[in-house]
Amino acid sequence: MAWPEISIEDFPPRRDDEPSSLRQDIIDELSDHFACALNRELLKNPDEQTAKQRVLNQFGDPIKIARQLWLDAMKEKIMSQRIMTGISAVMAVCCIAVVGFAWSMMKQNERLNLKMLEQLAALGDRPQPVTASQVDQQILKQLEKLNERQTGQAASISDLLSPITFQLVQTGKDLKPASGFTGQLTKRGSKTDTFTVKAISDETGKLNFKRLPWGQYQLTITSPWGEHLKTKMISTIPGREYESTIVCPAQPPEKVSVVFEVDQTKQTDEEQGYMLCDFRNRILSKTQDTFSLVTPRKVEGSYWYYSHDLADHPDQGVYLIDLKMKKVVACPLDERGMFIDLKPEQLKLQDSVKLEEGIYEDPALYLLQNKDLSRLSELNRLEYFGVVKLDDTREMRILAARNAGPRMLVRPFESIKMQPKAQKLLEQRYGVVANKLSGVQFPDAIRFDASTTESNIWKMTLPELDPLTEESVTVIDSFQ
């Protein structure tokens, strides 16, 4: 069984309003953190039991942590349920009071009618027989009163509904209507109070959700080409119309030319080879890793997110830069987006590449020699290696990684070379064998913007990795 041993039965009793995947998500996330911590400890000490005990000493009982994470996730729903229980109790008391008041009024009417009959009897009057037509008239009057009450109740309910309308316009001076955009409103609330409605903007750009109950809603808007607006929260007031104008992109992201300028002045000539730049998000799996690439662009202060089609174009977001010739090419990949072995003559290097406009962030960077191209497929499943993490205090920390992740610069096929003093200092401080270190992770985000209005020259400076000394931390921190 995987360590740590956590099961769904270790959680509190299941609740009706609990998300079905919450417990498994907590188990997966917690197991991943403990596994990463165990890998770091194994780099220091190969004894598995000692490494596990150190992880437990550092984080605590995983079952208690899982229960606390479950409680934190369910706290809002538990409190909401308690509030609703209190409100229900108050409403029940009010209903009982109303019923009591109605009963009292009925008894008073009965007593009043009885007194009137007694007075008529005292005067010697005899009540006249009631005809069928009189009975029909009384029934009609009662039906009219009932209809008036029902109409009044319907009017009061209608007063609580709020018309919700958005005016969608395109970017530009003319603010043309944005038609064909799909909107989705999801009401926030308890499990029974939550619902979702959809609408499509018409030729005038109106996105009309009509009349909905008042409250808080999550709004998502998707363009005809699949670009979506980051979720916005709106609040409506009972009976009051909600209107808002939203500026939408006029067309899909355009392709622009991007030039990569890599400064490797701190590298020796024999180190000049290739740099592999991967902007994709890699989702690790025991069977088959998958990839995604989502780039936002800013439209009138709001971010719209574009999901790239990696099924038909698996090489999007992965670029191979020749450091010596200062040229670039989209890195050839297989149909699943996995790396394949290459030869230098296969590469059709150019001065620039075409990318959809948007923001590209935190790539994984691989430093390669010419001979490494023939073994690129090994990047699909690397053994764990050590990464030096640099924080804002410029203090080095050690991470265990399987593949290069965001903001990592890695030499996948060789270790970082160190001066003997730096190597000894590192082993004394962290208990890590220096030849297991293959890269660094930077504290600051790496962010590039492919723009249609500005020149797209993406500059980055390669730090000096050899030899790694305490002084080189300052150099590494200068990566742009």
Coordinates of all heavy atoms in Angstrom, one line a residue, residues 7 81 108 139 171 381 403 420 426 436 451 478:
S7 N -7.2 6.3 4.3 CA -8.3 5.8 3.5 C -9.5 6.7 3.8 O -9.5 7.5 4.7 CB -8.7 4.3 3.9 OG -9.1 4.3 5.3
Q81 N -25.5 25.3 7.1 CA -26.5 24.4 7.6 C -27.1 24.8 8.9 O -28.3 24.8 9.2 CB -26.0 23.0 7.6 CG -27.1 21.9 7.8 CD -26.6 20.5 7.8 OE1 -25.6 20.3 8.5 NE2 -27.2 19.7 7.0
Q108 N -63.5 34.1 17.3 CA -64.2 35.3 17.6 C -65.4 35.5 16.7 O -66.4 36.0 17.1 CB -63.2 36.5 17.5 CG -62.2 36.6 18.6 CD -61.2 37.7 18.4 OE1 -61.4 38.5 17.5 NE2 -60.2 37.8 19.3
I139 N -70.7 31.1 -2.8 CA -69.6 30.4 -3.3 C -68.7 31.2 -4.2 O -67.5 31.2 -4.2 CB -70.0 29.1 -4.0 CG1 -70.7 28.1 -2.9 CG2 -68.9 28.4 -4.7 CD1 -71.3 26.9 -3.5
T171 N -14.1 45.0 -28.4 CA -13.1 46.0 -28.2 C -13.0 46.9 -29.4 O -13.4 46.5 -30.5 CB -11.7 45.3 -28.0 OG1 -11.4 44.4 -29.1 CG2 -11.7 44.6 -26.7
R381 N 10.3 10.3 -18.8 CA 10.3 9.6 -17.5 C 11.7 9.6 -16.9 O 12.4 8.7 -17.1 CB 9.7 8.2 -17.7 CG 9.5 7.5 -16.5 CD 8.3 8.0 -15.7 NE 7.1 7.8 -16.5 CZ 5.8 8.0 -16.0 NH1 5.7 8.4 -14.8 NH2 4.8 7.8 -16.7
N403 N 10.5 15.7 -13.1 CA 10.7 16.4 -14.3 C 10.8 17.9 -14.0 O 10.4 18.3 -13.0 CB 9.5 16.2 -15.3 CG 9.4 14.7 -15.8 OD1 8.7 13.9 -15.3 ND2 10.2 14.4 -16.8
P420 N 35.1 22.1 -4.7 CA 35.2 21.1 -3.5 C 34.6 21.7 -2.3 O 33.9 21.1 -1.5 CB 36.6 20.8 -3.4 CG 37.2 20.9 -4.8 CD 36.4 22.1 -5.4
L426 N 27.6 22.0 1.1 CA 26.3 21.6 0.8 C 26.0 20.2 1.5 O 24.9 20.0 2.1 CB 26.1 21.5 -0.7 CG 24.7 21.2 -1.2 CD1 23.8 22.3 -0.9 CD2 24.7 20.9 -2.7
K436 N 23.8 14.4 -7.2 CA 22.4 14.2 -7.4 C 21.7 15.5 -7.8 O 20.5 15.5 -8.0 CB 21.7 13.6 -6.2 CG 22.2 12.1 -6.0 CD 21.4 11.5 -4.8 CE 21.8 10.0 -4.6 NZ 21.0 9.4 -3.5
S451 N 2.5 40.1 -27.9 CA 1.6 41.2 -28.1 C 1.6 41.6 -29.6 O 2.5 41.4 -30.3 CB 2.1 42.5 -27.3 OG 1.4 43.6 -27.6
S478 N 19.7 36.6 -10.6 CA 19.6 37.7 -11.7 C 18.9 37.2 -12.9 O 18.7 37.9 -13.9 CB 21.0 38.2 -12.1 OG 21.7 37.2 -12.7

